[in-house]
Amino acid sequence: MFTGIVQTQATVISTNQQQGVMRLVLAVAKQYVTKLELGASIAINGCCLTVVKVENISDQPLAQVHYDVIDETLQLTNLGKLIVGSTVNYERSITFGTELGGHIVSGHIHCTAQIENIIHTQDNCKIQLCLPSKWQKYVMYKGFVSVNGASLTVGETDEQGFWLHLIPETLAITNIGKAAIGDVLNIEVDQQTYTIINTVENYLRQQAS
């Protein structure tokens, strides 16, 4: 589990595709691999991946972390679009005593959303995201949503999807600040909202039958 509070950004070193699995190698500051063990879970652009190898060489400025990404994940997320030099959002999983500053995030991406518009103002940035229709009912004004692994509040909703209102700190810490119109971002809707809506809909269907 994760909080949706992105800790840092990592850089793609290589993406090697072999027999339906992509070996993804990221470079990250060494402080973010402290006591990192094989099999640990890390949210990369909000997608929960398992660590399969860690290279932390003493005379190198950055550590390298390896992950295997299966075809289904590549198809459902934006990880398949990564190239060498891409930056990704990086968050290690929750531990006891972790401050929960965002909301509970599972790391299971529901869909991707395409950026339709970006409006920069003096104090913040507004980004409009086009969401697949089946997921729009789970995104509500002032509700939580995980975008590329960042826990964010929905600023507005419209017929296409929703808007984000982002402060400079969010733009600096996450890779959302580097995104452009046409880019796709990973979306995980709030699990509590998802469960409540599905439960109510199932109950109403049973009552009507």
Side-chain angles (χ1 to χ4, degrees), residues 103-118:
H103 72 284
I104 295 296
V105 176
S106 70
H108 298 157
I109 303 301
H110 291 111
C111 65
T112 58
Q114 181 170 298
I115 297 178
E116 295 295 316
N117 196 5
I118 300 176

Side-chain angles (χ1 to χ4, degrees), residues 11-154:
T11 304
V12 176
I13 298 299
S14 66
T15 58
N16 296 318
Q17 187 82 33
Q18 293 183 349
Q19 298 179 343
V21 177
M22 183 180 79
R23 173 59 64 93
L24 175 64
V25 183
L26 302 177
V28 66
K30 290 189 173 184
Q31 69 193 83
Y32 298 105
V33 300
T34 303
K35 297 182 180 179
L36 183 62
E37 299 180 355
L38 300 186
S41 296
I42 297 182
I44 301 300
N45 276 358
C47 182
C48 180
L49 298 181
T50 300
V51 175
V52 297
K53 183 179 180 181
V54 180
E55 296 180 86
N56 191 1
I57 303 172
S58 58
D59 62 350
Q60 297 297 317
L62 300 173
Q64 294 187 10
V65 187
H66 297 232
Y67 313 84
D68 286 336
V69 189
I70 62 174
D71 270 348
E72 181 181 9
T73 302
L74 296 174
Q75 293 168 9
L76 290 176
T77 73
N78 61 15
L79 299 187
K81 299 181 182 297
L82 296 177
I83 60 173
V84 173
S86 295
T87 58
V88 295
N89 293 336
Y90 178 106
E91 183 195 352
R92 292 182 61 171
S93 56
I94 295 174
T95 59
F96 288 110
T98 298
E99 180 178 350
L100 185 59
H103 72 284
I104 295 296
V105 176
S106 70
H108 298 157
I109 303 301
H110 291 111
C111 65
T112 58
Q114 181 170 298
I115 297 178
E116 295 295 316
N117 196 5
I118 300 176
I119 301 174
H120 290 278
T121 66
Q122 183 175 357
D123 298 320
N124 60 22
C125 173
K126 294 176 60 176
I127 297 179
Q128 182 186 28
L129 291 167
C130 182
L131 198 65
S133 58
K134 68 174 290 186
W135 296 104
Q136 290 183 11
K137 63 184 176 182
Y138 303 111
V139 177
M140 301 179 182
Y141 173 64
K142 295 301 182 183
F144 287 123
V145 64
S146 171
V147 180
N148 263 13
S151 173
L152 299 172
T153 302
V154 177

Side-chain angles (χ1 to χ4, degrees), residues 168-180:
E169 180 72 6
T170 301
L171 297 173
I173 291 177
T174 74
N175 62 6
I176 300 174
K178 300 182 179 73

